[in-house]
Amino acid sequence: MSDQLGLKKATADFRNAFSHRFSPRVSTGITNFARREINPETGKIWYGIGGTAPLDLDELVALLAGELDKCYLAFAAFQALVEAQLVYVRAENIRALEALAAPD
């Protein structure tokens, strides 16, 4: 989870901002002249004045490459889970069919 928080902080919460307000620019421009901050210790919210600098494209690409690697790992784990489920279901189907075919 801390990786997600690191990405969120490094991208100035781009994902949420893109959907709900003005997201930071990439490489050029300044946005968010008023910004909302949450104190991590108290949870209190405060608003500040000052722009958000644009995201550096090279840093952004490096961050997203790391996220892509995590996606591949998660998908590989999902594929292994599905394969394990298929093996189990096939074995159970064979067992059930054999039980039905057995004479009483």
Side-chain angles (χ1 to χ4, degrees):
M1 188 75 157
S2 63
D3 286 347
Q4 289 176 340
L5 294 176
L7 180 67
K8 182 177 179 179
K9 185 175 182 176
T11 61
D13 199 13
F14 184 91
R15 183 176 169 269
N16 184 54
F18 184 82
S19 298
H20 301 290
R21 56 185 193 278
F22 296 108
S23 58
R25 305 290 187 246
V26 176
S27 296
T28 185
I30 296 175
T31 55
N32 297 335
F33 292 104
R35 64 186 192 281
R36 181 177 185 254
E37 299 286 337
I38 300 174
N39 183 318
E41 295 172 6
T42 65
K44 291 187 177 184
I45 298 171
W46 59 273
Y47 293 87
I49 303 296
T52 300
L55 301 172
D56 180 78
L57 188 56
D58 291 334
E59 291 175 14
L60 191 56
V61 167
L63 287 167
L64 292 176
E67 293 299 300
L68 180 61
D69 291 341
K70 292 173 190 170
C71 287
Y72 285 138
L73 288 172
F75 188 66
F78 175 72
Q79 286 178 310
L81 175 65
V82 169
E83 184 59 34
Q85 288 175 329
L86 287 173
V87 168
Y88 174 79
V89 168
R90 286 180 187 134
E92 285 299 304
N93 283 346
I94 290 169
R95 186 193 61 73
L97 290 172
E98 288 173 349
L100 289 172
D104 289 336

